[in-house]
Amino acid sequence: MAEQVKLFKTWSTPFGLRITWALQLKGISYEAIDEDLSNKSALLLQYNPVYKKVPVLVHNGKPISESLVILEYIDETWKQNPILPEDPLERANARFWAKFSDEKLILSVWSAFTKEGKEREEAMDASLKNLKFVEEELKGKKFFGGEKIGLADIVFGWLGNLLPIFEEVSGLKLLDDRFPSLLAWTKELSELPVVKYNWPPHDKMIIKYQALYEKFHPVK
Amino acid sequence: MASELLLLDFNFSPFAARVRIALEEKGLEYESREEDLDNKSPLLLEMNPVYKQVPVLIHKGKPISESSIIVQYIDEVWNHKSPLLPSDPYERAHARFWVDYIDKKIYPCGNKLWNLPKGEAQEAAKEELMESFKTLEAELGDKPYLGGNTFNFVDITLIPFYSYFHTFEKLGNLNMVKECPKLVEWGQRCMHKESVSKSVSDPIAVYEAALEIIRDLGF
């Protein structure tokens, strides 16, 4: 039976981008559908009734939602170029850092971007603390996955693109030479064809996040 | 060998309960070390420096943290019996989705019933909590378990919160039997399993602990 793989995403979502990378790393043919989140398609609502969000992967008509769940599904279904290691302890470690990216780091950085005054200061402190943990985990390694990229690299990928955009728009300084291993890693990551050729357009991103920033920080 | 597995534990933690259930399901011997969360042991701080929380499973000296990650680790290492996840990738994805849903919703909303004063924020959390239980009720449907015919990872993830139903009812002025009858039945069904009844907290004790928190916070 011909495989049918569809990816519902948006042009800018870092969560959808992860799935793009995973599919392309494994050489899987797929159809990409960019949604307009202000006018969600009936198909998206049907495929993800619980959250109504992107990304959603649809494989032979069956939908999977939540980017970390999708990544594990892809790895278990298409065995070439594995994203997760074989050893259970290393797998647990990769999952731990994937969760840390999404449950701690993204949230503290988003707070730093959107809040003001004391809340912003606290969010900056938390973000720096969180980045330090990640820096220590990476230390000495080319990628979180070792010589090749793995789950944690894919999940932390937003640090290579979305974070610098936040910094450019807001003036916040987060990922700098206080984190030399992370900086080196973003360069290595960005050299990979699957990453280099799939970053969302920089100018378009600046316009989008500038507008968002102004919403959270109205000029008085 | 009991010394191979050490669980940094806390009786009331629903997250630690998940790990206890998984270990029991696999018939594994382990040492449980109860942590004093107001005075965390040097071992806990060393083994989980990022979150400094229980549960932490230490296997042959190596730590694994985060309950859902620990349960998957247990399933992958001791994969010769009592599978906790299905073998089909799509069904595994389905299970992981619902484990993640439970993690995002139940405790984050539920704990606001004792960690916040009465007011708008608490009301909103209560509404979201009940919506989540109704979603889980619909997902359960007429199946005996959230895992289908067998008790699995999703059931393990939710069942410690069955001990919290009484607390949610008292503090939230809710009626779980009326709102989610199938979930209540499911909870009772799971409690017949020894791995569960041995591992989860006593509902009255949970309620008293919540009342103590409310007293300490002065609400």
Side-chain angles (χ1 to χ4, degrees):
Chain A
M1 179 175 73
E3 297 266 45
Q4 201 199 52
V5 182
K6 293 187 194 207
L7 173 61
F8 288 80
K9 61 182 186 69
T10 63
W11 67 271
S12 60
T13 166
F15 303 98
L17 191 55
R18 296 170 176 175
I19 313 303
T20 299
W21 292 352
L23 291 168
Q24 291 187 10
L25 279 167
K26 289 183 179 265
I28 300 162
S29 306
Y30 67 100
E31 182 194 344
I33 297 134
D34 275 347
E35 285 277 329
D36 170 4
L37 295 184
S38 63
N39 185 18
K40 292 173 184 176
S41 71
L43 269 182
L44 176 63
L45 300 178
Q46 176 198 323
Y47 285 138
N48 190 358
V50 174
Y51 295 116
K52 305 176 175 54
K53 278 169 151 179
V54 293
V56 179
L57 186 78
V58 184
H59 183 205
N60 295 334
K62 291 164 142 189
I64 304 109
S65 305
E66 291 302 292
S67 65
L68 299 187
V69 177
I70 298 171
L71 287 171
E72 296 234 20
Y73 175 80
I74 289 173
D75 208 39
E76 289 177 356
T77 304
W78 292 278
K79 305 280 193 191
Q80 66 276 27
N81 297 339
I83 293 169
L84 274 153
E86 294 233 359
D87 174 68
L89 191 64
E90 286 177 33
R91 291 162 77 83
N93 196 46
R95 287 173 177 144
F96 177 90
W97 289 105
K99 232 174 167 230
F100 183 80
S101 158
D102 287 2
E103 286 179 13
K104 290 286 168 190
L105 189 57
I106 282 184
L107 292 186
S108 59
V109 167
W110 182 248
S111 284
F113 185 74
T114 56
K115 304 255 167 152
E116 308 200 286
K118 184 151 178 279
E119 279 183 300
R120 170 187 264 212
E121 269 175 48
E122 287 172 355
M124 280 295 289
D125 279 344
S127 298
L128 290 170
K129 267 206 185 87
N130 290 335
L131 282 169
K132 191 147 176 266
F133 281 128
V134 183
E135 172 82 7
E136 275 182 43
E137 170 60 19
L138 185 57
K139 202 154 266 169
K141 294 197 289 218
K142 184 174 174 188
F143 294 114
F144 291 95
E147 278 303 302
K148 294 215 297 237
I149 67 168
L151 180 72
D153 300 278
I154 293 174
V155 174
F156 276 125
W158 63 276
L159 289 174
N161 175 252
L162 187 56
L163 182 56
I165 285 167
F166 281 174
E167 291 173 318
E168 196 177 324
V169 163
S170 66
L172 293 171
K173 299 233 177 320
L174 282 167
L175 189 50
D176 56 24
D177 47 33
R178 286 173 286 191
F179 308 105
S181 300
L182 267 174
L183 277 182
W185 170 82
T186 58
K187 289 198 174 68
E188 289 282 0
L189 187 79
S190 301
E191 284 304 303
L192 300 171
V194 82
V195 173
K196 195 162 41 177
Y197 298 126
N198 283 308
W199 286 135
H202 183 258
D203 294 344
K204 221 174 148 188
M205 287 287 270
I206 293 290
I207 293 170
K208 175 189 164 106
Y209 283 99
Q210 183 69 45
L212 212 54
Y213 189 71
E214 282 163 16
K215 252 175 79 179
F216 284 105
H217 304 276
V219 178
K220 296 183 182 79
Chain B
M1 209 175 36
S3 59
E4 249 191 35
L5 278 171
L6 171 61
L7 177 64
L8 301 184
D9 205 350
F10 183 64
N11 188 302
F12 279 129
S13 163
F15 307 99
R18 294 167 177 176
V19 179
R20 298 195 291 263
I21 294 169
L23 291 166
E24 293 288 332
E25 282 287 303
K26 297 279 186 181
L28 295 168
E29 274 189 40
Y30 66 100
E31 183 195 337
S32 159
R33 206 174 287 180
E34 184 83 356
E35 283 284 330
D36 173 0
L37 297 183
D38 292 325
N39 187 17
K40 293 173 181 177
S41 72
L43 185 63
L44 175 59
L45 301 179
E46 181 200 336
M47 291 286 153
N48 190 358
V50 173
Y51 293 110
K52 306 178 175 57
Q53 273 178 30
V54 294
V56 180
L57 184 70
I58 305 173
H59 182 210
K60 296 185 190 174
K62 298 266 164 61
I64 306 103
S65 305
E66 294 299 283
S67 62
S68 60
I69 293 175
I70 299 172
V71 171
Q72 289 186 85
Y73 175 81
I74 289 170
D75 199 43
E76 288 173 7
V77 173
W78 292 276
N79 56 9
H80 54 287
K81 71 174 272 207
S82 304
L84 303 177
L85 269 113
S87 48
D88 171 70
Y90 188 73
E91 288 176 37
R92 289 163 77 82
H94 188 87
R96 287 184 176 125
F97 175 88
W98 287 105
V99 162
D100 177 69
Y101 180 84
I102 292 163
D103 270 349
K104 279 185 168 63
K105 297 283 186 184
I106 305 304
Y107 194 74
C109 297
N111 87 90
K112 298 197 161 79
L113 290 178
W114 54 85
N115 278 328
L116 284 185
K118 292 213 179 302
E120 249 183 71
Q122 197 188 77
E123 276 306 303
K126 195 176 109 181
E127 259 183 60
E128 201 181 338
L129 180 69
M130 282 324 294
E131 247 180 71
S132 309
F133 277 131
K134 291 207 160 101
T135 302
L136 288 164
E137 170 102 348
E139 169 56 23
L140 176 66
D142 292 319
K143 305 197 296 279
Y145 297 107
L146 287 158
N149 284 325
T150 42
F151 179 81
N152 87 351
F153 187 19
V154 190
D155 303 279
I156 291 176
T157 301
L158 187 62
I159 194 59
F161 293 114
Y162 181 67
S163 305
Y164 282 67
F165 281 14
H166 177 68
T167 302
F168 293 148
E169 283 181 325
K170 299 285 275 190
L171 294 181
N173 199 20
L174 300 163
N175 185 332
M176 290 301 287
V177 172
K178 192 160 157 246
E179 310 261 8
C180 308
K182 290 184 173 154
L183 268 186
V184 173
E185 252 180 61
W186 161 86
Q188 289 162 348
R189 183 176 303 120
C190 292
M191 286 296 287
H192 286 131
K193 295 176 71 62
E194 204 186 329
S195 62
V196 173
S197 58
K198 273 174 94 165
S199 307
V200 298
S201 304
D202 168 60
I204 305 294
V206 168
Y207 180 50
E208 289 180 351
L211 287 179
E212 215 183 293
I213 293 173
I214 291 173
R215 268 196 300 268
D216 288 346
L217 291 172
F219 294 151

